[in-house]
Amino acid sequence: MLSKEDQRRFEQITRQLRESDPKFFARLDQRARTRRGRWLMLLTIALWASLPAMTVLAGRLAGAICAVVLVGNVVLTWRFRRRWL
């Protein structure tokens, strides 16, 4: 955790970097978006893989909850896919 003074200095350095080299800052931003997309895709794969086992082992209610979360995750992945490419 940074102190208030360190946080202020960090924000100042970030602001200077953003102004002096916008291309570099854009590349960093793009990498962060790609990373988010990978985590969401990994979560989708894990949910698809665990859905049958969860339904058998934990019951229909747990399987239904997992399926609803999976559908929400797929919708988010589909909706924001252009931003992560």
Side-chain angles (χ1 to χ4, degrees):
M1 189 105 190
L2 296 175
S3 68
K4 288 185 179 187
E5 179 62 30
D6 291 338
Q7 183 67 32
R8 187 187 63 73
R9 181 69 180 137
F10 178 74
E11 289 173 2
Q12 183 182 19
I13 293 169
T14 306
R15 188 173 36 253
Q16 286 175 346
L17 179 62
R18 185 179 295 134
E19 292 169 359
S20 66
D21 195 359
K23 290 180 184 179
F24 174 74
F25 212 84
R27 284 194 316 260
L28 283 180
D29 189 42
Q30 181 63 30
R31 287 183 65 194
R33 287 181 185 170
T34 302
R35 193 173 303 127
R36 265 183 271 153
R38 288 181 188 155
W39 280 109
L40 196 56
M41 189 58 68
L42 182 64
L43 180 62
T44 304
I45 292 168
L47 285 172
W48 272 114
S50 66
L51 180 61
M54 187 175 286
T55 302
V56 170
L57 297 175
R60 289 185 177 181
L61 179 62
I65 291 170
C66 184
V68 168
V69 170
L70 179 62
V71 168
N73 190 357
V74 169
V75 167
L76 282 174
T77 303
W78 183 259
R79 182 171 179 206
F80 296 116
R81 74 187 186 286
R82 296 274 180 208
R83 295 181 186 175
W84 295 324
L85 294 178

